[in-house]
Amino acid sequence: MREEPNLRYISELPPHVHSGITKDKVMLRTFLLMCIPALAALPAMGLSALAHIAIAIGTVLFCHYSLAYTELLSKGTTSYKSPCSPLVAGMIVGLSMPIAAPYYATVGVAALTMVVFKWLQGRLCGRKYLNPAAASKVLLLAALSIAAGLGTGMMFYPAHLRLDLWTAAGFDEVVAFYDGRSALSGALSLVLLKDHGWIGGASGLAVLVAGIGAVLWIRLKWRIVVSLLLTVGVLAAVMSLVTGGSMVDRLAFHLFTGSVIFMGFFMATEPQSTPLAEGGQYLFGTALGVGTFLLQQLNVLGGSIIVLVALNLVTPLIDTIGRRRPYGHGGVR
Amino acid sequence: MRLRRDKYHFQERGGFTVDATVKRGAEHLPFQRVPDPELCVVFLRQHIGPPNEPLVGPGDRVTEGQKIGDGEGHMCVPVHAPVTGRVTKIDTAYHPGLGAESEAVFIERASEEIPPLRLSRFDPDRLQDAEPDALVGAVREAGVVGLGGAGFPAHVKLSFRDKAEYLVINAKESDPNVACDVRLKQERPAELVAGIRAMARMLNVKECIFATRAQRGEFPELEERLRKAGVELAHIRPSYSVGSDKLLVKELLNVEVPCGAYPPDVGAVVHNVFTAYAVARGLYDGEPLTSRGITFISRYTGPRNLWVKVGTPMRHVLEHMGIPPDTVQRLVVASMLMGGAVPHADVPLVKATAAISAFDPQERSPYERERACIRCGYCNMVCPVSIYPVLIMEAEKRGQRGKLRRLHAEDCIDCGLCSYVCPSLIKLTGYLRRAMAEVKQG
Ligand code: SF4
Ligand code: SF4
C-alpha cells in the first residue's frame, strides 16, 4: 500500500490568477460614466431631473434590499450582495424617464425593473432576455395608454402626436417648437442642452462623451451603437434630401435625442439581452436604427425602446449568425 | 481600460492586458542549483505518447544518467536516472502534467559520488559531417521532449525534414510566471545557439527564426552568436497568447495552421528555447535530460530561478526555498494561466515543468467568488483563436454536442484567457475541456 500524503492542497483547474476586472467594477464604472449625462441634465432640466434619478435609484435599492432580505429569510443566504448592479439599473431608469413624466411613473418603472424584469425574469428564464429598464417602461407605457389614453401613455407629451416630420415645413415647426423652449437655438440646443425629452438626453454631447468613455473603459458593445447611429444618421440625411430643409437640424434631431443617443449607448448595449456575435451586433444596431427612425417619423418619440424590446426577443436567433471565423478555418487573414 | 504598455503587461485581443508583474526582476536572478533530493520520483511517461516500460526493478542500483525507462513506439522518449542510488519501487504517483496517477520509478539517492553516465557525443565543429538521422536518434536517446510545457517528443518534431521550411525558436517567455527562458538566454547563449544549429541541420530548413519579446540589445552576446549563426532575430510584441505555437506561426509568417493540423503542416517547426538547450547538452555533452531551469514564485520569496533535477518532489523545492510545505494552500505547476494545482507537496517535477508557484491561505483563488454570467462578451473578445467561450459553455451545460461542433470548441488552445478576463469570475476552463473532449469523441 502506498502512503497517502497527510498534507492536502487545494487541487483545481487553471487559471489561478485573474485580471481584477470584476462585475462590480464594471458596474461601478458604468454608474460613474452615467453620472456625466446626469450632471448635464441639471442645468438643462433643473432639480426635477435630479429628483427623478434619485427616486429611481432609491426605489431600485429598496427593491434590491427587500429581495435580499426575503431571500435571506427563506434560504439563509442571499445572492443580492452587491448594490452595484441595482445602482446602474436605477440610474438607467432615471435617465430614461422623460422630464415631463410624473414621479409615480418613475417609481413604477424602477420597481418593475427590479422585481419583474430583473428578479422574476432571471428566476423564470435563467437569464435576462429583455432589457429590464426598457421592458418595464414599455409595459408601463402600454398600461397607461390603455388606461388613460395615448397622451398619458406618451409620458405626458401629447404634443408629439400632432407633429409632422414627413415634410420640411412640418419639421421646421418641430424645431421651432423646441427652439421656443431653449435659450439655444435649433441644432445647438438639440446637441448641447435641451429641457425636454429623456433626462439622459438633456445633453447629447455629454452622452457622447460618457459613451465613448464606456467603449474604452468597460468595452461596451460598440458595434451596436455605431450601426444604430449610422443607420439613423443616414436615414435622417436621406429624409432631409428628399423633403428639403436643414440637414444639420435633421441630423441633430434624430441622433441627439435621449431616446436615440442615450438608449443607444446605455440601453441597447445591455450585455445579457443583446447579441454576442459581432455580425449579429451590427445587424441588431441597424434594425434598431431603422425601427427607431420609423417610429420617430410616426411621432412616437421615445419609441426606440419598443423596437429594442422587440429585438431583444429575437436576439437568440440573431446570435446564430455573424460569428467570426475561428483561427485555422480559411487560410491567411 | 488599462493602457499600460511595458514588458510586464502583455497586450491581448480586445484591448485586454495580462499582468506579468509577478515575475518582475526575475530576469536578473541567476539560476540557483537546488541540491539533489533524498528521493527522486521519475515518471516513465514524460512525453505525449504511449508510456515507457521500466528498464530497472526494485533493489537495482542506478547511476545518474542511466536509462531507466524506454518504449517501442515512435513517440516514446526514454527517461534517465537523475541521481545515483537505488530503486526502491516502481509505483504510481500523481503526475502534474497528466493530472492523474502515473507509473514512476522511485530512486533513493546514494551518498557516494560516482561520475554520471554520458551518451556518445558529437563534435559541434563537425556538425555538417553528422547524419541528420543520427542526430535525431541522439536527441531521442537523450530523452529530450518539448520543454515549453507540452512534452511533445523533440525527435519527432525534428524528423519533419520533408515539410520543414522554417525552424522557429519560441523564446517568447510569455507566461506571466515563467522567467527561466530569459535567464537561459543570459547565462547559456553558446549552448543555446549550438542547439539551434544542430536542430537546423536535422531539419535542413531554409530559415531559422529566434522569436523573442526582448528588445534589441538586451542580450548582446546571444544576439551576436545568433547573427553569426545566420539565425534571424524576430522581436515580437509582448503578448501572452502569441506564445502558443500556432499563434506564433501566424504572427511571424502570417500563415494560419489549419484546424486539425500542426505547424509543420505549414512548413514551420516550433521548438521552445529550453528544448534547444537540452538538445545541445544531449548532443555535445552527452548529457541526458535529467535537470532543467524553472521559475519559482511565492509571496515570501518573490520570483527565483532554480536549476532542479527532474523527479524532485515539490516538497524539497519548497523546503529549499525556506517555505514550510504546510504553510502552502495551493501549489501551481507550470503557467498560472494554464497549469493545474497539484494535490500535495510530494508531487515530483517532470521534464516539462517550467514553473512552480506557491500560494498561501491568504492568497485565495479569485474564482471562489463566481457569479452568474452577464454575457458581457469579454471572453469572446479576448479569445485568440476567435471562438465563443460563453456560447460553448452554454452549449456544454445543455449537452448540445452538435452546437459544440458548430462553435468549433475543438479549436480552443486552453490558454485560460477567457477565464482571466471574466468579470463574473467564471472558470470556463472546465467547460471548454469537456467540450473539446466531446467534439473529439465525435
Ligand atoms: S466573460 Fe464571463 S460573464 Fe462575460 S460573457 Fe464570458 S462567461 Fe459570461
Ligand atoms: S481558453 Fe480556449 S476559449 Fe478560452 S480564450 Fe483561450 S482559446 Fe479561447
Side-chain angles (χ1 to χ4, degrees):
Chain A
M1 272 293 282
R2 197 152 49 85
E3 271 176 58
E4 271 301 305
N6 48 15
L7 180 67
R8 306 293 307 190
Y9 293 152
I10 296 175
S11 181
E12 56 185 16
L13 288 173
H16 307 278
V17 281
H18 186 262
S19 63
I21 306 167
T22 60
K23 183 178 167 183
D24 282 349
K25 273 194 191 161
V26 174
M27 291 297 163
L28 218 56
R29 287 177 183 185
T30 314
F31 182 81
L32 288 176
L33 287 164
M34 281 192 296
C35 287
I36 299 172
L39 288 175
L42 253 181
M45 296 176 170
L47 280 176
S48 172
L50 208 62
H52 274 287
I53 295 169
I55 287 170
I57 292 177
T59 309
V60 159
L61 284 178
F62 174 77
C63 295
H64 169 80
Y65 284 112
S66 304
L67 288 167
Y69 188 64
T70 319
E71 234 184 34
L72 212 58
L73 281 184
S74 58
K75 293 190 202 160
T77 174
T78 180
S79 48
Y80 285 78
K81 287 192 183 109
S82 164
C84 294
S85 170
L87 267 179
V88 170
M91 184 64 115
I92 290 180
V93 170
L95 291 175
S96 68
M97 292 308 287
I99 190 68
Y103 293 131
Y104 73 77
T106 305
V107 173
V109 174
L112 280 174
T113 296
M114 268 318 276
V115 180
V116 178
F117 291 103
K118 269 175 91 76
W119 180 76
L120 196 63
Q121 191 181 188
R123 285 288 171 287
L124 294 180
C125 311
R127 74 166 228 238
K128 288 175 221 108
Y129 285 93
L130 298 175
N131 180 309
S136 309
K137 227 179 130 181
V138 168
L139 191 68
L140 200 82
L141 197 127
L144 282 175
S145 299
I146 293 164
L150 199 54
T152 313
M154 290 288 290
M155 299 290 177
F156 299 87
Y157 251 116
H160 287 170
L161 297 175
R162 53 180 174 71
L163 301 176
D164 174 17
L165 281 97
W166 295 98
T167 61
F171 181 74
D172 286 345
E173 217 180 289
V174 175
V175 176
F177 172 73
Y178 290 125
D179 252 2
R181 303 158 58 102
S182 170
L184 299 167
S185 61
L188 218 51
S189 147
L190 288 162
V191 174
L192 291 179
L193 278 184
K194 48 187 172 292
D195 60 0
H196 54 85
W198 287 24
I199 296 167
S203 169
L205 195 67
V207 180
L208 201 62
V209 170
I212 292 170
V215 171
L216 298 173
W217 209 22
I218 59 170
R219 300 176 179 83
L220 58 69
K221 294 174 178 171
W222 58 268
R223 291 175 185 86
I224 296 179
V225 190
V226 168
S227 44
L228 162 75
L229 296 182
L230 267 179
T231 307
V232 173
V234 167
L235 291 174
V238 169
M239 186 57 75
S240 146
L241 288 176
V242 172
T243 62
S246 161
M247 187 178 287
V248 175
D249 282 356
R250 267 282 180 185
L251 286 172
F253 177 82
H254 284 282
L255 286 172
F256 284 89
T257 52
S259 58
V260 174
I261 194 147
F262 179 78
M263 183 278 303
F265 274 109
F266 291 102
M267 294 176 83
T269 55
E270 195 276 330
Q272 299 217 33
S273 52
T274 50
L276 284 165
E278 292 72 3
Q281 290 175 17
Y282 285 123
L283 181 65
F284 186 93
T286 307
L288 185 58
V290 172
T292 299
F293 184 81
L294 283 178
L295 283 184
Q296 280 179 332
Q297 286 297 111
L298 296 170
N299 288 332
V300 190
L301 303 183
S304 54
I305 49 165
I306 302 171
V307 190
L308 178 60
V309 170
L311 284 170
N312 283 166
L313 288 170
V314 292
T315 289
L317 271 182
I318 299 177
D319 248 342
T320 59
I321 51 174
R323 292 198 199 119
R324 296 170 295 188
R325 182 181 59 76
Y327 175 98
H329 289 261
V332 179
R333 274 199 272 205
Chain B
M1 183 163 71
R2 279 185 290 183
L3 287 171
R4 272 185 257 161
R5 282 178 196 280
D6 60 46
K7 60 181 183 176
Y8 299 110
H9 288 95
F10 301 160
Q11 303 304 313
E12 305 303 328
R13 281 184 82 160
F16 291 93
T17 303
V18 168
D19 183 350
T21 47
V22 69
K23 66 176 174 183
R24 191 192 292 273
E27 64 270 38
H28 305 301
L29 301 170
F31 283 115
Q32 217 179 68
R33 190 170 282 275
V34 174
D36 293 351
E38 292 295 313
L39 178 78
C40 270
V41 182
V42 186
F43 288 105
L44 286 165
R45 181 179 172 189
Q46 303 204 32
H47 54 268
I48 293 179
N52 291 323
E53 292 298 324
L55 302 175
V56 289
D60 287 355
R61 292 191 58 79
V62 290
T63 308
E64 182 181 335
Q66 180 184 332
K67 202 198 283 191
I68 55 172
D70 202 351
E72 291 282 301
H74 176 55
M75 295 291 281
C76 284
V77 183
V79 289
H80 302 79
V83 290
T84 296
R86 193 176 60 86
V87 176
T88 56
K89 60 179 177 177
I90 313 271
D91 199 353
T92 58
Y94 184 90
H95 191 302
L98 301 173
E101 296 283 315
S102 184
E103 202 171 37
V105 180
F106 290 64
I107 306 169
E108 203 174 65
R109 183 167 61 88
S111 49
E112 77 260 38
E113 296 274 327
I114 296 175
L117 291 183
R118 289 293 178 243
L119 307 162
S120 53
R121 301 169 199 203
F122 288 82
D123 182 351
D125 297 327
R126 302 186 58 194
L127 197 60
Q128 292 312 316
D129 300 341
E131 276 303 309
D133 285 339
L135 291 170
V136 171
V139 168
R140 184 194 175 279
E141 279 308 297
V144 183
V145 297
L147 297 182
F152 193 88
H155 69 273
V156 177
K157 267 198 199 177
L158 290 169
S159 314
F160 291 122
R161 235 185 332 272
D162 301 342
K163 293 180 176 183
E165 282 180 64
Y166 301 93
L167 167 64
V168 176
I169 299 299
N170 186 347
K172 283 276 291 107
E173 62 279 339
S174 49
D175 278 314
N177 58 319
V178 178
C180 52
D181 295 355
V182 185
R183 269 325 290 176
L184 195 74
K185 289 190 277 189
Q186 192 80 38
E187 292 183 26
R188 328 253 162 122
E191 292 99 322
L192 209 51
V193 176
I196 296 170
R197 283 182 55 228
M199 287 168 142
R201 165 87 183 120
M202 286 178 244
L203 287 164
N204 192 24
V205 286
K206 71 172 189 199
E207 198 175 339
C208 279
I209 305 170
F210 189 89
T212 174
R213 72 180 166 85
Q215 301 295 313
R216 201 170 294 278
E218 240 179 276
F219 301 99
E221 189 187 339
L222 176 69
E223 286 174 27
E224 181 57 20
R225 285 180 183 275
L226 287 171
R227 196 186 54 75
K228 279 190 184 152
V231 178
E232 195 196 320
L233 195 58
H235 297 276
I236 309 273
R237 67 194 159 98
S239 159
Y240 161 71
S241 49
V242 172
S244 133
D245 285 3
K246 286 186 173 183
L247 293 163
L248 184 59
V249 167
K250 167 81 172 97
E251 184 86 4
L252 289 170
L253 308 172
N254 198 27
V255 175
E256 285 188 10
V257 180
C259 171
Y262 295 96
D265 297 320
V266 294
V269 174
V270 185
H271 277 286
N272 177 267
V273 65
F274 243 102
T275 315
Y277 174 76
V279 165
R281 299 294 299 211
L283 294 181
Y284 307 133
D285 300 322
E287 185 187 317
L289 178 55
T290 54
S291 65
R292 66 160 298 164
I294 65 162
T295 302
F296 178 90
I297 290 180
S298 81
R299 200 148 65 115
Y300 299 108
T301 58
R304 291 281 184 275
N305 293 309
L306 307 175
W307 202 270
V308 196
K309 284 277 169 69
V310 170
T312 302
M314 307 282 169
R315 176 187 295 278
H316 182 74
V317 180
L318 287 172
E319 281 165 354
H320 174 75
M321 297 309 294
I323 299 174
D326 59 357
T327 60
V328 172
Q329 195 182 47
R330 283 182 297 142
L331 196 60
V332 175
V333 177
S335 159
M336 283 184 187
L337 282 167
M338 292 172 85
V342 297
H344 52 81
D346 297 319
V347 173
L349 201 111
V350 292
K351 292 176 184 176
T353 306
I356 302 173
S357 308
F359 296 92
D360 66 31
Q362 277 79 56
E363 299 170 283
R364 301 183 75 103
S365 165
Y367 298 91
E368 281 175 14
R369 290 168 286 127
E370 179 179 325
R371 316 247 310 251
C373 170
I374 53 170
R375 288 172 72 87
C376 60
Y378 285 10
C379 50
N380 307 332
M381 290 179 213
V382 79
C383 179
V385 293
S386 302
I387 56 174
Y388 291 83
V390 60
L391 296 178
I392 293 172
M393 174 176 74
E394 288 173 357
E396 201 282 329
K397 277 184 185 171
R398 295 190 195 118
Q400 297 168 315
R401 198 174 276 194
K403 192 166 178 188
L404 289 178
R405 241 190 307 274
R406 287 197 297 279
L407 289 167
H408 301 289
E410 74 281 7
D411 288 329
C412 173
I413 55 167
D414 204 20
C415 67
L417 277 175
C418 46
S419 312
Y420 181 76
V421 302
C422 174
S424 293
L425 303 168
I426 299 171
K427 244 184 210 182
L428 291 123
T429 320
Y431 300 105
L432 291 160
R433 286 185 183 176
R434 281 195 296 277
M436 269 190 276
E438 278 178 45
V439 172
K440 281 176 185 162
Q441 267 169 24

